[in-house]
Amino acid sequence: MSQPPKSNPPPRNKQERPPDEPPKKSKSLLIWAVLLLVFLMSAQFFAQGANKDVFISYSQFQQYLQTENIEEVTITDKQIAGRLKQSSTTVVEGVTKSFRNFNVFIPFDDPDLVKELMAKEVMVTAQPQTTNWVGYLIAALPWLLLIGFWVFILRQMQSGQRGMFSFGKSRAKMVVDDGPSVTFKDVAGVQEAKRDLQEIVGFLKNPEKYQALGGRIPKGALLLGPPGTGKTLLARAVAGEADVPFFSMSGSDFVEMFVGVGASRVRDLFDQARQNSPCIIFIDEIDAIGRHRGAGLGGGHDEREQTLNQLLVGLDGFEATDSIIVIAATNRPDVLDPALLRPGRFDRHVTVDRPDVIGREKILEIHVKNRNIPLDESVKLDVLAKGVPGMVGADLANLVNEAALLAARYDHKAVLNDDFEEAKEKIVMGAKRQLVISEEERKIVAYHEAGHALAYELIPEIDSLHKVSILPQGRGLGVTIALPEERYLQSKTYCLGIMAAALGGRIAEKIIFNELTSGAQSDIEMVSRISRHMVCDWGMSEKIGATALGEKEQEVFLGRDFGNRANYSETTAYIIDQEIHRFVEEAEERIEKLLRDNHDRLEAIAQALLEKDMLNRDEVADIIYTDEERNEMKATVEAVEEESSVETTVGAVEEESSVETTEQRE
């Protein structure tokens, strides 16, 4: 028997707030106490500052009286305040000070003092003694503050309210009404991850549909992927689609310097979730508390492990009717404890990988649309997406923002394609620098970059040339930028070609100047890294074969690769060094032969760089190819692009059909 369709409540907008607002009474009392303290201290200060009279000794007073230099006095109990007829001087704190008004304490009862003053024709005034309530309050204030402090602590401990001493309360932010909502429409480039999360949304909207068939929704979903791929955004989109409360907290928020605080916060978080069921709990960077247990430097029983144990207990404590989904995100799944990953806890693992070219294009479209960025006709987002392989959502958002800032800097009415290109170079290579270099060094840089450019243009199995420049940019004095293709596998031929292209600048210096410089440092580092991977990790050496050499030692408590342990003999180590060196020599010999055979082309590119400072691929092609060669290359490129366009269109149609099928199943 089919159930009537459940009417969903109208969508709610969401914003973040703490789940429990503490009462403002204690805060008001504290504010009033601070204001009272400030008032009393200010009154005492001004009272002391208002009295600028100098205190003199009683013997000095008698001396002034005998010399008839006193004009008037005011007697108050044991103190006399007076005024001299003529100014006098005294030493106050090592400084000689001139004064007329003075104060003096009477050391003993002198019944003849008034007669002596009258005899010297001094005007005498008497005042009654007043009580210094301010002084009494200042003296009693420390005790009052101490008593009030302890009363405040006791009230905080007795009440279950969040306050400054409520260490064990959860710091999770709860999403409620009155804010913008995030849905799956705001997430692009991760279609597979969105499909995996559709069931969670369907369960939270209509749990009876799954419970009637005996189905059980996964208690937890773990989002895995590199930083910036949109894991947090996906979790917010799930909450927006399901229209349920959303508790967000970072893994580092659980751990404090006090023992037991993390476990207490986990318990409080889960209690809040049960009170607001159905809901979603999102823990970002869960690897901060979810690392392997038993690897701590202090024997394994530390605050982090207690927090993890409480998290495991909390995940097991949910009932089937609680309708609570725990979503966590991490970019280090290798360090997580196996007990956290088992079925019944985080039993659904969703991979949020780097987007492909279609995903990057859609991400760019979303950022351009949401920010209302006007684009020039020269901007083609599909072409731009092809030129930034490996970039994640955060990188693409930064690219769009940098391009908009550059367009504003140059007073453009719309963002041009040149703005995107400059922004891309700034992100990848660094900002351009203004350096004054000698003509000799400029010539060396020109031939160095010309060697790279010629290698990228003439080696067919590697990426094609995009731009070459001798303008200082980032950490280099010049740059050669290739237009990378979408690759998920690297062949041996490709690796050797990339190594040869990287050594092109160094070999060009050797051929032209018969001298080597330090400008090839980064190139040598890249060649050495690729060669070592080929031998030790990728099995591309005939002598070594398909053997993984070097075991990584991971200290899970620290969460980083501590080093590599040599799991091979010294004889094997010698063979490894020989093979690494052989690959480097092969690449060096290949690029040297290529540059010597095309010496005239190398000279032409270098001279053009010295004249123009920058060349694109078409300008380089005009220099090194004849018209006939260029026409043949153009025809070949057009054929390849046409074939690729057809494949891309078919893939997009299939993906759209798959998404529609998934939505229909919901």
Side-chain angles (χ1 to χ4, degrees):
M1 181 177 179
S2 62
Q3 297 180 355
K6 186 179 179 180
S7 60
N8 296 325
R12 300 181 297 176
N13 295 326
K14 305 175 184 296
Q15 68 178 5
E16 294 178 352
R17 73 163 175 86
D20 297 320
E21 291 286 344
K24 299 182 179 181
K25 185 177 180 180
S26 58
K27 293 184 177 180
S28 301
L29 293 176
L30 182 62
I31 292 174
W32 282 110
V34 173
L35 291 177
L36 178 61
L37 175 62
V38 172
F39 173 75
L40 295 176
M41 294 182 67
S42 301
Q44 184 72 11
F45 174 79
F46 286 111
Q48 295 177 356
N51 189 6
K52 299 181 180 180
D53 298 345
V54 176
F55 280 87
I56 62 176
S57 62
Y58 190 75
S59 59
Q60 287 181 301
F61 171 74
Q62 288 289 341
Q63 183 179 358
Y64 292 142
L65 181 61
Q66 298 300 324
T67 57
E68 299 182 359
N69 193 23
I70 298 179
E71 181 178 351
E72 59 180 356
V73 296
T74 301
I75 302 175
T76 305
D77 195 21
K78 296 292 185 178
Q79 183 175 347
I80 299 176
R83 179 179 176 86
L84 301 177
K85 295 179 180 179
Q86 296 180 358
S87 300
S88 181
T89 59
T90 187
V91 179
V92 180
E93 296 180 355
V95 179
T96 303
K97 185 177 180 181
S98 178
F99 68 95
R100 288 190 65 184
N101 297 328
F102 64 91
N103 285 275
V104 61
F105 290 103
I106 305 175
F108 53 90
D109 292 335
D110 188 0
D112 299 328
L113 178 60
V114 177
K115 296 180 180 180
E116 294 180 5
L117 293 171
M118 298 296 293
K120 301 294 184 180
E121 298 181 354
V122 178
M123 181 180 295
V124 179
T125 306
Q127 288 185 354
Q129 178 68 28
T130 58
T131 304
N132 188 10
W133 294 106
V134 175
Y136 291 156
L137 289 175
I138 294 292
L141 189 60
W143 294 100
L144 295 176
L145 291 177
L146 183 61
I147 295 173
F149 179 74
W150 283 109
V151 171
F152 178 73
I153 291 179
L154 292 175
R155 293 186 61 181
Q156 289 286 321
M157 294 175 63
Q158 293 175 359
S159 65
Q161 304 166 359
R162 296 181 60 188
M164 62 181 295
F165 295 96
S166 299
F167 301 110
K169 297 298 179 180
S170 171
R171 295 183 177 181
K173 297 178 180 179
M174 181 179 175
V175 176
V176 293
D177 298 342
D178 305 328
S181 176
V182 179
T183 63
F184 282 142
K185 295 181 180 179
D186 302 313
V187 185
V190 286
Q191 297 299 328
E192 295 79 7
K194 290 165 65 173
R195 296 191 194 101
D196 290 337
L197 296 175
Q198 285 289 342
E199 291 183 0
I200 295 178
V201 175
F203 176 80
L204 293 174
K205 284 186 175 181
N206 188 14
E208 294 84 3
K209 173 183 176 182
Y210 297 86
Q211 295 172 358
L213 299 174
R216 181 184 64 83
I217 199 70
K219 290 186 177 182
L222 184 62
L223 305 180
L224 313 173
T229 52
K231 298 184 294 293
T232 304
L233 186 63
L234 263 175
R236 292 184 176 275
V238 171
E241 291 284 345
D243 193 29
V244 296
F246 181 75
F247 294 88
S248 177
M249 194 171 182
S250 175
S252 60
D253 293 336
F254 289 101
V255 182
E256 294 281 356
M257 63 179 291
F258 302 102
V259 178
V261 172
S264 177
R265 289 178 177 175
V266 172
R267 288 192 295 269
D268 185 68
L269 174 61
F270 282 44
D271 290 340
Q272 295 177 26
R274 290 187 180 92
Q275 296 173 5
N276 294 273
S277 176
C279 65
I280 293 176
I281 297 176
F282 176 64
I283 304 175
D284 200 5
E285 306 295 343
I286 194 173
D287 52 278
I289 59 172
R291 300 175 186 266
H292 284 274
R293 290 169 293 178
L297 298 179
H301 190 71
D302 56 9
E303 169 66 8
R304 179 186 54 80
E305 292 193 2
Q306 295 184 32
T307 305
L308 175 58
N309 292 333
Q310 185 61 47
L311 178 61
L312 298 177
V313 173
L315 290 172
D316 291 335
F318 288 148
E319 301 294 337
T321 58
D322 285 338
S323 299
I324 299 174
I325 304 297
V326 182
I327 301 177
T330 180
N331 56 0
R332 291 296 306 275
D334 55 311
V335 303
L336 296 181
D337 194 278
L340 195 64
L341 304 177
R342 73 162 177 81
R345 289 167 179 165
F346 287 106
D347 39 12
R348 173 162 294 189
H349 300 170
V350 181
T351 300
V352 187
D353 209 346
R354 300 179 185 272
D356 57 5
V357 60
I358 299 177
R360 293 195 296 272
E361 181 182 354
K362 293 181 178 180
I363 293 174
L364 290 173
E365 291 176 353
I366 289 177
H367 287 299
V368 170
K369 180 181 178 181
N370 293 342
R371 300 186 185 186
N372 297 321
I373 296 177
L375 298 181
D376 187 75
E377 296 180 354
S378 61
V379 179
K380 306 296 182 183
L381 294 181
D382 56 342
V383 178
L384 182 62
K386 293 179 181 178
V388 288
M391 281 195 176
V392 297
D395 299 328
L396 297 173
N398 186 34
L399 175 63
V400 174
N401 185 64
E402 287 290 342
L405 295 178
L406 289 173
R409 179 189 301 177
Y410 300 139
D411 296 327
H412 296 162
K413 301 299 182 182
V415 182
L416 308 179
N417 186 65
D418 293 340
D419 298 327
F420 277 102
E421 290 295 329
E422 186 175 349
K424 181 174 65 175
E425 294 179 12
K426 182 180 180 182
I427 295 173
V428 177
M429 306 299 299
K432 295 181 180 179
R433 299 180 297 165
Q434 298 292 333
L435 291 180
V436 179
I437 61 176
S438 63
E439 191 64 28
E440 181 181 358
E441 288 186 340
R442 187 168 178 268
K443 187 177 180 180
I444 294 174
V445 174
Y447 278 96
H448 182 103
E449 300 302 333
H452 287 309
L454 191 59
Y456 278 109
E457 194 62 34
L458 298 182
I459 298 178
E461 63 268 19
I462 63 174
D463 304 322
S464 58
L465 178 67
H466 178 61
K467 183 185 295 183
V468 57
S469 171
I470 59 173
L471 298 175
Q473 189 169 353
R475 298 173 58 185
L477 298 178
V479 293
T480 301
I481 303 175
L483 191 61
E485 299 179 3
E486 199 79 20
R487 283 188 177 88
Y488 298 98
L489 297 174
Q490 296 180 359
S491 64
K492 181 178 179 180
T493 304
Y494 174 80
C495 293
L496 292 175
I498 286 292
M499 292 170 61
L503 294 173
R506 181 175 183 272
I507 300 302
E509 295 178 12
K510 178 182 177 182
I511 294 174
I512 301 300
F513 304 101
N514 196 24
E515 184 67 76
L516 299 175
T517 68
S518 60
Q521 177 182 351
S522 59
D523 301 328
I524 295 174
E525 291 176 352
M526 184 180 72
V527 169
S528 302
R529 183 174 60 255
I530 295 175
S531 181
R532 181 166 293 278
H533 280 305
M534 292 174 64
V535 176
C536 299
D537 300 325
W538 299 338
M540 295 181 180
S541 171
E542 292 80 5
K543 292 185 178 181
I544 298 298
T547 304
L549 302 175
E551 293 182 355
K552 292 183 177 180
E553 292 184 349
Q554 293 184 344
E555 175 53 72
V556 294
F557 183 83
L558 301 175
R560 60 182 298 179
D561 294 341
F562 199 77
N564 293 333
R565 182 174 64 89
N567 58 346
Y568 45 82
S569 64
E570 295 182 0
T571 303
T572 305
Y574 177 73
I575 298 175
I576 292 173
D577 293 338
Q578 282 187 324
E579 289 297 284
I580 293 174
H581 188 64
R582 182 175 66 86
F583 283 143
V584 175
E585 281 187 340
E586 289 181 4
E588 195 169 11
E589 292 174 359
R590 178 183 182 184
I591 190 62
E592 184 171 359
K593 184 178 184 305
L594 185 144
L595 295 182
R596 290 188 182 276
D597 294 342
N598 297 273
H599 188 277
D600 54 341
R601 292 177 171 178
L602 179 65
E603 287 281 355
I605 297 175
Q607 293 301 323
L609 285 173
L610 291 173
E611 293 178 3
K612 300 181 179 181
D613 291 333
M614 183 182 300
L615 299 173
N616 56 32
R617 186 188 182 187
D618 294 334
E619 291 173 334
V620 173
D622 291 337
I623 295 173
I624 66 176
Y625 295 122
T626 62
D627 294 339
E628 183 179 354
E629 291 174 334
R630 290 199 63 198
N631 292 332
E632 293 179 359
M633 293 175 58
K634 185 177 180 181
T636 304
V637 170
E638 289 178 353
V640 173
E641 289 180 351
E642 184 178 356
E643 182 180 356
S644 176
S645 175
V646 173
E647 294 177 355
T648 301
T649 304
V650 173
V653 172
E654 293 178 352
E655 182 180 3
E656 185 177 355
S657 302
S658 175
V659 174
E660 291 178 355
T661 304
T662 303
E663 293 177 351
Q664 291 174 0
R665 289 199 299 265
E666 296 294 333

